Amino acid sequence: MLSIVHAAEAQFHHEVATRARESALLASIRERRAAQAESVAVPVAVSDGVAARQGAERGTVRAAWPRPIGITACPGSACAVA
């Protein structure tokens, strides 16, 4: 009888620890996604010179709107697709 109680208690502690690890993992995933969403947020409209400088600092310039498939360049500085 004592071994049954001991096994049930050990199983309970194992499940609690597993649940705590899973909760911590999910929390870290949520934090990482929030940080990524914050870093990819659409920037406020700035002048062309400032945008080019910021793009050069990051290495790439991101368009504010996605372009349709097949269009490689937009006439002008910003690609506005409605």
Side-chain angles (χ1 to χ4, degrees):
M1 183 69 159
L2 184 60
S3 63
I4 294 173
V5 171
H6 179 69
E9 185 178 347
Q11 181 67 29
F12 172 77
H13 289 297
H14 174 72
E15 289 176 358
V16 167
T18 302
R19 202 171 306 122
R21 279 193 305 273
E22 289 175 353
S23 295
L25 180 64
L26 290 174
S28 69
I29 289 171
R30 272 189 238 108
E31 289 173 4
R32 181 181 171 133
R33 285 183 181 166
Q36 286 176 342
E38 194 174 284
S39 68
V40 179
V42 177
V44 177
V46 294
S47 68
D48 294 337
V50 174
R53 218 172 334 148
Q54 288 175 348
E57 291 171 359
R58 286 185 299 200
T60 60
V61 177
R62 292 182 180 232
W65 300 96
R67 293 186 297 260
I69 296 174
I71 296 179
T72 57
C74 293
S77 63
C79 182
V81 177

